Amino acid sequence: MKVLGLVLATALLMLVTPATAAEYQGRNIDGKKLAAKAYYYATGGVYDVQVRFKGNRATIYFDGGSQTTIRLKQRAIADPKNIEGFGKLGQIPLGGIFSIGLDNDSNLIGNPQLPDSPLAGLWRISLDSKALQNFINK
């Protein structure tokens, strides 16, 4: 019981710990949705999306209303055409390193499933240059 209490206390502390903003060229880029393309390594799909940064996280908004949140590889963005992050579809991040969610495991219903690729969960975001410059110049 003490271990569970310690785990819950650690998770709560991580949730309330303030995050520093994502930045590009030393400027805070948190909060506004920016046009982008997102490449998902697991499927090889490229999607026209909007992205909103918040600290070391990026929420990717797809056409049709679905979204996913990924953890950025680096909070300070050096190349807006090559922003990498990790997050599987259907997972919700908690604090700095934990996430919860449903993982689609068809083995439970008797269908064989290929093992996850080493790149499963890896995303690459490429921000639209014009949208980024408009946001930076405000």
Side-chain angles (χ1 to χ4, degrees):
M1 199 58 152
K2 285 185 179 184
V3 173
L4 179 60
L6 181 61
V7 169
L8 290 174
T10 303
L12 182 59
L13 179 62
M14 294 175 80
L15 286 173
V16 297
T17 303
T20 53
E23 60 183 56
Y24 174 65
Q25 295 181 340
R27 293 187 175 171
N28 178 340
I29 61 169
D30 276 4
K32 181 168 173 32
K33 283 185 183 178
L34 300 170
K37 291 203 180 286
Y39 174 75
Y40 190 37
Y41 285 86
T43 62
V46 177
Y47 308 94
D48 288 320
V49 298
Q50 291 188 332
V51 178
R52 178 179 289 153
F53 296 97
K54 183 176 181 187
N56 67 341
R57 304 248 182 235
T59 301
I60 301 170
Y61 298 90
F62 300 92
D63 290 340
S66 61
Q67 67 187 52
T68 190
T69 300
I70 65 171
R71 185 180 64 243
L72 298 174
K73 186 175 177 182
Q74 295 181 314
R75 183 184 54 77
I77 296 167
D79 181 0
K81 296 287 185 190
N82 188 23
I83 303 166
E84 289 188 331
F86 183 83
K88 290 188 176 182
L89 293 172
Q91 292 189 337
I92 301 168
L94 295 176
I97 59 174
F98 297 109
S99 66
I100 61 169
L102 298 175
D103 192 9
N104 185 6
D105 186 0
S106 56
N107 285 330
L108 294 175
I109 55 174
N111 295 334
Q113 180 178 353
L114 295 174
D116 278 344
S117 151
L119 298 176
L122 186 60
W123 291 84
R124 184 181 67 235
I125 299 168
S126 178
L127 294 177
D128 179 77
S129 301
K130 187 179 271 188
L132 180 60
Q133 284 307 315
N134 288 341
F135 180 66
I136 295 289
N137 292 332
K138 283 187 176 182

